[in-house]
Amino acid sequence: MDAGTIHAIWTVILFCSMIGIIFWAYSKKQTARFDEAANLVFADEHEDTSSQNKTGVDK
């Protein structure tokens, strides 16, 4: 095998992996998990404001 063939095979493998990741990311099974992860930012914000009120010190 020459370098061109190896590069072509590697390109096909990476392309198939990318297509697999796209299908995984947009599958309906992952929607609830991704929605929960997206809302984690707001859960941390609530904890920060409550701890700030208890100590009375601004961050």
Side-chain angles (χ1 to χ4, degrees), residues 15-35 37:
F15 179 73
C16 290
S17 299
M18 182 186 73
I19 296 298
I21 290 170
I22 289 171
F23 279 122
W24 170 79
Y26 286 102
S27 70
K28 296 205 184 264
K29 289 189 229 178
Q30 301 300 326
T31 304
R33 183 174 161 197
F34 289 149
D35 287 341

Side-chain angles (χ1 to χ4, degrees), residues 1-17:
M1 276 201 241
D2 61 341
T5 305
I6 293 172
H7 286 233
I9 292 170
W10 185 245
T11 300
V12 170
I13 290 170
L14 290 177
F15 179 73
C16 290
S17 299

Side-chain angles (χ1 to χ4, degrees), residues 32-49:
R33 183 174 161 197
F34 289 149
D35 287 341
E36 180 184 346
N39 289 324
L40 284 175
V41 174
F42 302 116
D44 290 343
E45 184 178 298
H46 178 62
E47 292 174 8
D48 286 344
T49 57

